[in-house]
Amino acid sequence: EAEVAQSPRYKITEKSQAVAFWCDPISGHATLYWYRQILGQGPELLVQFQDESVVDDSQLPKDRFSAERLKGVDSTLKIQPAELGDSAMYLCASSSIGRGSDEKLFFGSGTQLSVL
Amino acid sequence: QKEVEQNSGPLSVPEGAIASLNCTYSDRGSQSFFWYRQYSGKSPELIMFIYSNGDKEDGRFTAQLNKASQYVSLLIRDSQPSDSATYLCAVNMLGGYNKLIFGAGTRLAVHP
């Protein structure tokens, strides 16, 4: 069964360091999402790509976060510099089409980030 | 007002009972609704989706939707200890691109 691949599974970093997460969506899925989930809360959308284009980054803290999907396939999310409040689970998800209200998202295993 | 609201729980039910999980949403124009199950330390897993008013059944799970009341629920029949998890309600917001907004989740505990 096709899966969304994410790495690393866990990341521990110190405050002010740079950190990067990688995601490879299900083959053929044009839409890719990055969500952040703080313990005890639901996932919050950070950025959404349709192919290589960003279609929603309204909740992305752009002073320290960046995301790219250069060839419209895999994607990287970067934080620089990391802050203590960035400790969370970072989830990547994909879906096969971007438009329409009935599309289902499938999540990768996530990256658990701890900032010390 | 949050866009998607759920009672955080924990909801505790005995094994074999029916667990009822509820969710309300603010966007009256929302058209599609999803339930995800999330075990501790794991990522969310899609278990049900519903688009039309009424009930939709899949095995032990039933999703119920009432768009007039902006309310969606998930019933789990014959609850098992393995059902103990956090259940996330997600709503597709109006707009050009598919965008899921999640509630904070309800923690379910099924005790033997």
Side-chain angles (χ1 to χ4, degrees), chain A residues 16 21-22 30 32 44 65 94:
Chain A
S16 79
F21 314 127
W22 176 82
L32 185 147
E44 174 194 18
F65 285 64
S94 70

Side-chain angles (χ1 to χ4, degrees), chain B residues 31-51:
Chain B
Q31 296 295 318
S32 54
F33 309 86
F34 305 83
W35 284 99
Y36 285 79
R37 177 176 61 198
Q38 186 173 29
Y39 292 112
S40 181
K42 303 296 185 182
S43 62
E45 172 193 11
L46 180 65
I47 55 171
M48 287 290 287
F49 55 92
I50 186 166
Y51 308 137

Side-chain angles (χ1 to χ4, degrees), chain B residues 47-59:
Chain B
I47 55 171
M48 287 290 287
F49 55 92
I50 186 166
Y51 308 137
S52 304
N53 276 331
D55 295 359
K56 178 182 178 182
E57 187 175 316
D58 184 1

Side-chain angles (χ1 to χ4, degrees), chain A residues 33-77:
Chain A
Y33 311 78
W34 283 102
Y35 280 86
R36 176 174 61 186
Q37 187 176 23
I38 295 170
L39 190 64
Q41 299 182 20
E44 174 194 18
L45 180 66
L46 292 176
V47 61
Q48 178 179 348
F49 289 92
Q50 181 67 25
D51 298 309
E52 66 276 8
S53 300
V54 173
V55 298
D56 189 335
D57 63 356
S58 56
Q59 299 302 311
L60 187 71
K62 298 181 185 64
D63 57 335
R64 298 185 300 107
F65 285 64
S66 64
E68 61 182 16
R69 192 183 184 198
L70 293 176
K71 297 182 179 180
V73 182
D74 60 338
S75 175
T76 301
L77 178 69

Side-chain angles (χ1 to χ4, degrees), chain A residues 95-97 99-105, chain B residues 34 51 92 98 100:
Chain A
S95 65
S96 59
I97 58 175
R99 292 187 178 272
S101 62
D102 60 347
E103 192 55 21
K104 307 168 193 64
L105 270 63
Chain B
F34 305 83
Y51 308 137
N92 196 314
N98 194 45
L100 281 193

